[in-house]
């Protein structure tokens, strides 16, 4: 028997790189250039997405926290303080005599049965004098002396009215009657004799 001759088959060729869609760019020297960046089919960077999502989440939480702090500070700044008789009288005088805002002053007044006629006359006199003399008049007050008996009490202080140029100052003692009606409220105001 004779040895068999090898059968000639197809010659093997080296493996070819995968074909990109469309023709491959060729440089001037005839070398094939690598495919351009961002070729369709490339997977997106998951780490970058994760970092972006985390940063957006932290910024969102910080914004929500900032809103919460703002609301809390606003509530605290605008809270009607009726917890102490002297604080109520202080806020009432600021609203009634300094700001001359009756709506704000009502927040500190008795719900019913108050007698503030004497203080109304005091404020009306200030307004009249400002018109007659064409001068601003300011009102200030000193420290408070508080006396309470259960749900009723009095707060005493000196009210000083003076011209804005400082030429004239008049100080008189006043007593404010206060009642605890879901927080302290001003129910009466009387000028007292020194």
């Amino acid at each position: 028997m004779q040895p068999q001759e090898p059968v000639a088959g197809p010659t093997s060729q080296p493996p070819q790189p995968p074909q990109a869609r469309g023709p491959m760019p060729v440089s001037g020297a005839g070398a094939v250039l690598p495919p351009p960046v961002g070729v369709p089919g490339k997977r997106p960077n998951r780490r970058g997405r994760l970092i972006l999502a985390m940063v957006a989440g932290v910024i969102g939480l910080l914004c929500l926290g900032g809103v919460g702090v703002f609301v809390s500070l606003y509530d605290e700044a605008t809270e009607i303080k009726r917890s102490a008789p002297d604080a109520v009288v202080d806020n009432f005088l600021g609203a009634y005599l300094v700001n001359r805002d009756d709506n704000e002053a009502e927040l500190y007044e008795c719900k019913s049965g108050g007698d503030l006629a004497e203080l109304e006359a005091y404020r009306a006199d200030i307004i009249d004098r400002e018109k007659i003399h064409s001068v601003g008049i300011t009102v200030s007050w000193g420290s408070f002396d508080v006396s309470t008996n259960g749900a009723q009490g009095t707060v005493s202080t000196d009210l000083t009215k003076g011209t804005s140029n400082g030429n004239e100052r008049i100080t008189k003692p006043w007593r404010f009657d206060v009642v605890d009606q879901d927080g302290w409220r001003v129910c009466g105001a009387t000028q007292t004799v020194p």
Side-chain angles (χ1 to χ4, degrees):
M1 196 174 199
Q2 292 189 353
Q4 288 184 327
E5 285 190 35
V7 178
T11 58
S12 64
Q13 295 181 354
Q16 295 291 324
Q19 292 290 326
R21 294 183 191 157
M24 293 290 286
V26 179
S27 72
V32 177
L33 297 175
V37 178
V39 172
K42 184 176 179 188
R43 299 183 80 178
N45 186 350
R46 291 183 183 207
R47 178 178 282 170
R49 278 186 177 176
L50 178 63
I51 290 172
L52 182 61
M54 289 175 63
V55 168
V58 168
I59 289 172
L61 287 174
L62 288 174
C63 288
L64 288 175
V67 168
V69 168
F70 174 77
V71 168
S72 175
L73 292 175
Y74 179 79
D75 283 348
E76 191 173 304
T78 60
E79 177 185 7
I80 299 171
K81 295 177 175 73
R82 292 194 203 107
S83 58
D86 53 345
V88 168
V89 171
D90 185 44
N91 289 328
F92 171 74
L93 291 173
Y96 193 75
L97 295 177
V98 176
N99 299 338
R100 298 180 188 169
D101 183 345
D102 292 336
N103 292 329
E104 183 184 355
E106 283 179 10
L107 298 173
Y108 304 101
E109 293 178 19
C110 280
K111 295 178 181 176
S112 64
D115 181 15
L116 300 172
E118 210 170 321
L119 191 63
E120 288 172 9
Y122 182 79
R123 185 172 84 170
D125 179 59
I126 290 171
I127 294 170
D128 289 343
R129 288 177 187 270
E130 285 178 329
K131 288 178 184 173
I132 292 169
H133 301 292
S134 298
V135 65
I137 297 177
T138 60
V139 179
S140 60
W141 47 94
S143 60
F144 298 106
D145 182 26
V146 179
S147 174
T148 59
N149 185 10
Q152 297 186 352
T154 59
V155 177
S156 300
T157 189
D158 291 334
L159 292 183
T160 302
K161 62 180 173 181
T163 57
S164 55
N165 60 14
N167 289 340
E168 185 179 340
R169 291 174 58 90
I170 300 171
T171 302
K172 300 283 182 174
W174 281 77
R175 184 186 76 235
F176 298 89
D177 298 320
V178 292
V179 175
D180 189 355
Q181 299 174 336
D182 296 326
W184 291 97
R185 298 173 187 266
V186 177
C187 291
T190 309
Q191 184 176 332
T192 57
V193 178

